[in-house]
């Protein structure tokens, strides 16, 4: 690496949870620095946020449109290399489109866009631009998830037969959106969230984790969605049956009204030779069970790991690695790819979620909503 990559940011102002996460994660490996941003829909708040982050006033922009145009006009050795988009869903597509068309790479929060139509349009824009696009399905960056994926890919579990995934939260058990809680307000609003509530916010993480670890596509689902919060029109709970492309069966359970749950994302994968399970709230243990051997637990930088897991284990065994480190892995792998492009090198299969994963996520949301409307009828994801 000859220099740090220069990052711009859209959204993620002073009171933003996810913006701060992105900034910390991007900085962990020393490959990226924040140089500019349009941090709020309000000009004054945007500039104040940028100044609070220590940016030069000339690089604190009132709108993302202003940022794209002025950054493009800067000398190549000064302007940002890529932009991170950390806004509510309805503001993912416009800045991503403009950034790509102005020659900037993009990192974006999930789900990739507000609508499936936007997602498919964005996929074409990415291809036409020749620029890189990363989607922050951050849990795939965890070293134990990498180990799980490698074990499945190498056939250690045998043929996959059954998958169970869950993502359970309880923070919307009350009508939080009717208070001053901004994070709740936009997530229950179809104009800002899209047609999926919990589906888009956490369901896409479960869907992506399933397909990432197993290497299998979900072929069709039967979804029963709930809207328990008073006055809510978007789902805040759901249970789904799924059929995988290889004939495996499975379930997904999601909720944001599961009282007492914090961030309970978990997955179990059962094969003909062995099985595995992993939980985000205990991310440093990958539990495996075998047909003719004792249960084995893998840990970051511990014994018996595949190279794919060792590559993202940053500290000695026994030292916990979690949410921020997994998030940082997305940025590290993305930055490595950008550096390779800058040096004229080719990476065949970059290890971070792309716009294609984003389109898959949107198709999952739309299939689940369609299934629910039709009394949980089996619906293909196509």
């Amino acid at each position: 690496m000859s220099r740090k990559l220069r990052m711009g940011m859209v959204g993620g102002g002073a009171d933003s949870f996810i913006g701060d996460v992105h900034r910390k994660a991007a900085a962990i490996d020393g490959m990226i620095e924040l140089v500019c941003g349009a941090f709020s829909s309000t000009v004054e708040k945007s500039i104040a946020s940028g100044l609070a982050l220590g940016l030069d006033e000339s690089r604190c922009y009132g709108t993302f449109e202003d940022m794209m145009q002025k950054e493009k006009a800067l000398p190549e050795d000064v302007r940002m290399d890529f932009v991170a988009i950390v806004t509510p869903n309805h503001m993912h597509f416009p800045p991503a489109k403009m950034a790509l068309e102005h020659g900037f790479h993009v990192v974006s929060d999930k789900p990739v866009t507000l609508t499936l139509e936007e997602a498919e349009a964005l996929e074409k824009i990415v291809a036409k631009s020749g620029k890189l696009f990363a989607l922050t399905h951050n849990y795939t960056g965890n070293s134990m998830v990498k180990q799980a994926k490698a074990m499945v890919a190498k056939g250690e579990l045998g043929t996959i037969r059954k998958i169970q995934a869950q993502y359970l939260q309880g923070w919307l058990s009350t009508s939080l959106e009717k208070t001053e809680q901004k994070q709740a307000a936009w997530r229950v609003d179809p104009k800002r969230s899209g047609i999926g509530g919990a589906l888009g916010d956490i369901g896409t993480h479960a869907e992506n984790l399933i397909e990432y670890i197993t290497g299998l596509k979900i072929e069709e689902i039967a979804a029963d969605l709930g809207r328990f919060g008073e006055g809510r029109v978007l789902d805040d709970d759901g249970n789904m049956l799924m059929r995988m492309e290889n004939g495996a069966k499975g379930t997904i359970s999601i909720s944001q009204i599961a009282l007492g749950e914090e961030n309970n994302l978990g997955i179990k994968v059962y094969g003909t030779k062995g099985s595995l399970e992993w939980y985000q709230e205990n991310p440093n243990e990958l539990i495996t069970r075998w047909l003719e051997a004792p249960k084995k637990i893998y840990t970051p930088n511990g014994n018996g790991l595949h190279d794919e897991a060792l590559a993202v284990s940053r500290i000695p065994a026994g030292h916990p690695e979690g949410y921020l480190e997994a998030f940082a892995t997305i940025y590290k792998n993305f930055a490595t790819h950008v550096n390779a492009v800058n040096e004229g090198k080719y990476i065949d299969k970059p290890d971070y979620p792309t716009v294609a994963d984003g389109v898959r996520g949107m198709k999952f949301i739309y299939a689940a909503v369609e299934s629910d409307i039709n009394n949980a009828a089996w619906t293909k994801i196509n």
Side-chain angles (χ1 to χ4, degrees):
M1 183 182 69
S2 58
R3 64 172 177 82
K4 289 186 177 183
L5 294 179
R6 297 178 289 269
M7 178 174 78
M9 182 168 279
V10 176
D15 58 349
S16 165
F17 155 69
I18 202 64
D20 193 45
V21 168
H22 275 261
R23 289 187 288 269
K24 288 174 179 174
I28 281 178
D29 292 294
M31 300 176 71
I32 297 166
E33 61 179 336
L34 180 70
V35 298
C36 65
F39 299 100
S40 173
S41 57
T42 303
V43 173
E44 293 77 11
K45 288 183 179 179
S46 178
I47 294 173
S49 292
L51 293 175
L53 291 167
L55 299 182
D56 186 281
E57 187 171 5
S58 66
R59 308 288 289 276
C60 302
Y61 300 103
T63 66
F64 75 82
E65 293 92 343
D66 192 34
M67 182 176 80
M68 303 299 178
Q69 293 166 356
K70 289 184 177 177
E71 286 293 312
K72 179 67 174 178
L74 292 174
E76 190 173 347
D77 62 347
V78 176
R79 71 171 75 120
M80 67 180 180
D81 295 293
F82 74 94
V83 63
I85 300 171
V86 295
T87 60
N89 303 349
H90 73 297
M91 285 303 296
H92 287 180
F93 179 74
K97 178 178 184 292
M98 190 171 184
L100 292 163
E101 292 175 345
H102 279 67
F104 299 114
H105 306 290
V106 173
V107 174
S108 177
D109 260 343
K110 40 50 57 189
V112 66
T113 51
L114 184 71
T115 68
L116 176 56
E117 183 180 22
E118 284 182 347
E120 292 175 332
L122 185 62
E123 188 172 34
K124 293 176 182 177
I125 293 167
V126 171
K128 183 179 180 180
S129 72
K131 296 300 174 181
L132 305 183
F133 185 99
L135 191 67
T136 52
H137 279 302
N138 50 291
Y139 300 107
T140 63
N142 190 284
S143 62
M144 293 298 91
V145 171
K146 303 290 188 191
Q147 175 69 12
K149 179 179 177 63
M151 293 175 73
V152 172
K154 296 175 192 297
E156 294 175 25
L157 270 63
T159 302
I160 303 305
R161 291 172 164 174
K162 183 178 181 66
I163 303 159
Q164 290 183 315
Q166 65 185 44
Y167 201 151
L168 307 175
Q169 299 175 336
W171 72 291
L172 288 178
S173 294
T174 62
S175 299
L176 200 58
E177 66 271 21
K178 296 178 182 178
T179 69
E180 297 297 317
Q181 226 281 12
K182 290 172 59 178
Q183 298 301 321
W186 76 258
R187 280 176 170 82
V188 303
D189 179 3
K191 293 180 180 178
R192 291 181 285 174
S193 184
I195 68 168
L199 270 173
D201 197 26
I202 58 177
T204 52
H205 272 310
E207 167 267 330
N208 180 259
L209 192 65
I210 290 166
E211 296 195 346
Y212 182 78
I213 288 178
T214 67
L216 300 169
K217 300 295 185 186
I218 303 170
E219 195 167 73
E220 54 184 338
I221 55 176
D224 180 23
L225 305 179
R227 296 159 187 84
F228 288 98
E230 183 181 354
R232 287 180 189 157
V233 296
L234 297 181
D235 60 279
D236 53 20
D237 184 82
N239 297 288
M240 287 160 268
L241 298 175
M242 61 181 179
R243 294 169 178 163
M244 308 301 291
E245 61 182 341
N246 75 330
K249 310 289 187 181
T251 62
I252 302 175
S253 181
I254 62 170
S255 185
Q256 292 181 314
I257 52 87
L259 186 64
E261 294 286 0
E262 294 178 339
N263 202 53
N264 189 358
L265 169 64
I267 185 170
K268 296 181 180 181
V269 179
Y270 299 91
T272 53
K273 298 179 181 178
S275 64
L276 61 81
E277 63 180 292
W278 178 82
Y279 299 94
Q280 190 279 149
E281 292 186 342
N282 189 20
N284 295 286
E285 290 190 354
L286 175 65
I287 301 168
T288 62
R289 297 178 175 87
W290 305 97
L291 186 64
E292 298 179 345
K295 179 172 74 172
K296 181 183 290 187
I297 299 176
Y298 293 91
T299 58
N301 246 332
N303 294 329
L305 295 186
H306 291 300
D307 290 342
E308 292 88 341
L310 290 170
V312 298
S313 298
R314 292 175 175 80
I315 48 182
H319 295 75
E321 298 183 34
Y323 179 76
L324 284 176
E325 289 87 351
F327 219 113
T329 295
I330 305 298
Y331 271 102
K332 179 182 180 181
N333 290 351
F334 174 77
T336 299
H337 196 183
V338 172
N339 283 324
V341 168
N342 290 342
E343 295 168 7
K345 299 176 182 177
Y346 177 73
I347 294 180
D348 183 31
K349 294 182 179 179
D351 189 10
Y352 57 83
T354 68
V355 68
D357 296 287
V359 173
R360 282 290 300 172
M362 292 305 298
K363 288 182 177 180
F364 167 78
I365 294 170
Y366 274 62
V369 171
E370 181 182 343
S371 173
D372 179 63
I373 290 171
N374 292 299
N375 198 28
W378 284 104
T379 305
K380 289 189 178 296
I381 300 177
N382 53 41

